[in-house]
């Protein structure tokens, strides 16, 4: 006979977790002799585990997510009210929160105009990669399909996102990977003494030129996009050197390469601007974001594009293959954008 677990029976909760939950990024063998950690409450920047121990959460939910802190009743109330009214409809149709948050978000991103909803950063990046590939087929006979990514950058855990992942330890045992993804060097100024030919002055420009060398080696007519984090997060919190981003923008413009900025960690205020790329005056074609978009109060991710890129997918309505033939099931949830609206209001205040 199964006995219902009471939420105040902490040992029963721990036992249920040990027996049935598969945790992320952790070896479970020790849990045969010690208890897994269970988080039970959060307020502000502090969380408490099942033993009653208080922790200062210096990593924003463990993975750079809870940008506005714990216990925000206004977000919880907004989500609850929305779920009662209309919780979901596939994003082939719109919703009130989806329209309102898209408008609010675009106000923070001059030059961008369209928001594609999904439910995780990995998924948002997958959508961007698919758009690059579809544009390659529509405009370039499939040739301009390669996607460049940078050493040490991280873009998610699906097989294709790992194919664009510059952290080798994450990729071990998961290949073979999606073809057409090409790695470029990073801009590690503090290790420039280890890099052959690296100059003492104008290192940022030189580091960007190493990307150009890869483009020339592969053939500019085969390279469709360059995917980069504005500030590398999990790969070492690496701030690009002076002159780097301006040169990267010039290279993308010169070779007709789409610039895809991954803001999953840096976005929504983490670096002191709404988005990390805004520190550098960049004009990206695509920006992806997740994590802090709703501070973990609901699952939401966004791929934001320019109108020029969006127009590639509606220029021939008679062609059944002309639109972006993709769906994200949980991109139709209304809890994400309504939580994101209130999250953004809190940050503005």
């Amino acid at each position: 006979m199964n006995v219902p677990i009471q939420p105040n029976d902490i040992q029963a909760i721990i036992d249920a977790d040990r027996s049935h939950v598969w945790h992320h990024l952790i070896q479970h063998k020790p849990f045969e002799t010690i208890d897994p950690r269970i988080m039970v409450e959060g307020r502000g920047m502090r969380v408490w585990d099942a033993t009653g121990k208080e922790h200062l959460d210096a990593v924003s939910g463990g993975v750079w997510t809870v940008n506005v802190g714990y216990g925000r009743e206004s977000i919880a109330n907004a989500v609850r009210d929305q779920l009662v009214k209309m919780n979901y409809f596939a994003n082939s149709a719109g919703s009130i929160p989806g329209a309102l948050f898209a408008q609010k978000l675009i106000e923070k991103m001059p030059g961008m105009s369209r928001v594609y909803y999904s439910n995780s950063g990995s998924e948002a990046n997958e959508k961007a990669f698919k758009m690059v590939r579809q544009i390659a087929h529509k405009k370039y006979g499939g040739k301009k399909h390669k996607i460049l990514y940078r050493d040490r950058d991280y873009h998610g855990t699906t097989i294709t996102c790992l194919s664009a992942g510059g952290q080798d330890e994450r990729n071990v045992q998961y290949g073979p990977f999606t073809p057409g993804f090409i790695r470029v060097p990073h801009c590690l100024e503090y290790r420039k003494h280890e890099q052959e030919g690296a100059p003492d002055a104008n290192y940022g420009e030189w580091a960007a030129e190493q990307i150009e060398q890869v483009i020339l080696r592969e053939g500019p007519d085969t390279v469709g996009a360059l995917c980069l984090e504005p500030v590398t997060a999990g790969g070492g919190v690496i701030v690009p050197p002076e002159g780097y981003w301006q040169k990267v923008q010039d290279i993308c413009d010169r070779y007709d390469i789409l610039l895809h900025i991954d803001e999953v960690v840096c976005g929504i205020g983490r670096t002191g601007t709404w988005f990390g790329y805004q520190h550098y005056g960049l004009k990206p074609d695509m920006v992806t974001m997740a994590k802090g978009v709703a501070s973990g109060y609901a699952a939401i991710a966004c791929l934001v594009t320019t109108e020029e890129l969006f127009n590639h997918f509606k220029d021939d309505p008679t062609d059944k293959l002309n639109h972006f033939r993709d769906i994200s099931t949980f991109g139709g949830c209304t809890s994400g954008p309504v939580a994101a609206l209130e999250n953004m209001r809190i940050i503005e205040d």
Side-chain angles (χ1 to χ4, degrees):
M1 177 179 176
N2 292 326
V3 178
I5 296 175
Q6 300 300 316
N8 59 350
D9 185 352
I10 291 299
Q11 190 56 53
I13 296 293
I14 292 171
D15 291 343
D17 183 281
R18 176 188 289 109
S19 298
H20 305 298
V21 176
W22 196 329
H23 290 275
H24 302 181
L25 292 174
I26 194 167
Q27 170 58 251
H28 284 62
K29 186 67 174 178
F31 295 155
E32 294 178 4
T33 56
I34 64 173
D35 289 342
R37 176 174 288 154
I38 310 293
M39 295 302 186
V40 299
E41 187 176 359
R43 294 197 301 273
M45 291 180 64
R46 299 182 183 275
V47 295
W48 286 262
D49 64 26
T51 69
K53 185 175 182 180
E54 178 182 314
H55 305 263
L56 176 63
D57 179 16
V59 286
S60 195
V63 284
W64 327 73
T65 298
V66 191
N67 286 18
V68 299
Y70 299 92
R72 292 285 187 174
E73 292 188 19
S74 63
I75 302 181
N77 290 337
V79 170
R80 185 265 175 202
D81 292 346
Q82 178 59 43
L83 292 180
V84 171
K85 185 173 184 180
M86 182 70 181
N87 67 306
Y88 176 85
F89 196 89
N91 210 33
S92 51
S95 71
I96 291 173
L100 292 177
F101 181 64
Q103 181 180 44
K104 188 76 171 176
L105 182 60
I106 292 302
E107 289 173 0
K108 311 297 186 189
M109 305 177 72
M112 312 302 285
S113 69
R114 296 285 174 167
V115 180
Y116 188 99
Y117 288 116
S118 57
N119 72 309
S120 73
S122 295
E123 192 177 12
N125 284 328
E126 288 270 356
K127 307 306 182 188
F129 299 151
K130 288 177 72 175
M131 288 182 183
V132 173
R133 292 287 170 87
Q134 192 169 343
I135 290 171
H137 284 280
K138 285 168 53 63
K139 287 190 64 179
Y140 305 103
K143 190 174 183 181
K144 203 171 174 67
H145 70 277
K146 294 177 185 174
I147 296 170
L148 306 184
Y149 66 95
R150 188 170 56 187
D151 183 43
R152 302 179 75 100
D153 278 8
Y154 171 72
H155 302 295
T157 55
T158 63
I159 290 296
T160 295
C161 286
L162 287 175
S163 304
Q167 299 176 17
D168 292 336
E169 65 277 12
R170 291 186 183 272
N171 292 26
V172 173
Q173 299 179 341
Y174 295 123
F177 297 107
T178 306
F181 286 81
I182 310 297
R183 185 177 296 198
V184 301
H186 209 295
C187 48
L188 287 166
E189 188 167 23
Y190 70 96
R191 288 187 177 176
K192 64 183 180 182
H193 62 282
E194 301 175 1
Q195 301 167 54
E196 184 177 353
D200 291 329
N202 301 320
Y203 173 80
E205 292 187 16
W206 179 87
E209 288 168 357
Q210 305 317 295
I211 298 176
E212 184 175 20
Q213 293 304 309
V214 175
I215 293 168
L216 294 174
R217 182 193 73 204
E218 296 292 325
D221 59 337
T222 71
V223 178
L226 172 63
C227 177
L228 302 172
E229 291 183 90
V231 175
T232 296
V237 190
I238 302 165
V239 179
E242 184 176 352
Y244 177 80
W245 272 118
Q246 292 74 17
K247 187 70 173 181
V248 167
Q249 180 81 69
D250 172 67
I251 291 167
C252 289
D253 293 344
R254 194 152 19 101
Y255 295 109
D256 187 25
I257 293 171
L258 296 172
L259 180 56
H260 168 190
I261 303 295
D262 181 343
E263 293 273 358
V264 171
V265 172
C266 293
I268 315 296
R270 185 172 297 282
T271 67
T273 53
W274 281 106
F275 295 94
Y277 76 85
Q278 293 170 341
H279 287 287
Y280 307 104
L282 295 174
K283 296 180 179 179
D285 301 283
M286 300 182 286
V287 178
T288 47
M289 65 194 75
K291 294 188 184 293
V293 174
S295 288
Y297 286 83
I300 181 174
C302 305
L303 163 58
V304 183
T305 77
T306 62
E307 194 72 7
E308 181 180 1
L309 188 143
F310 173 75
N311 284 338
H312 286 301
F313 299 93
K314 64 169 191 174
D315 54 358
D316 184 2
T318 65
D319 180 0
K320 293 181 179 179
L321 300 181
N322 189 251
H323 62 286
F324 186 46
R325 302 180 313 283
D326 183 275
I327 185 170
S328 171
T329 297
F330 294 110
C333 288
T334 59
S335 55
V338 80
L341 276 166
E342 182 60 15
N343 183 71
M344 186 168 278
R345 183 198 66 77
I346 289 168
I347 297 172
E348 287 179 324
D349 288 349

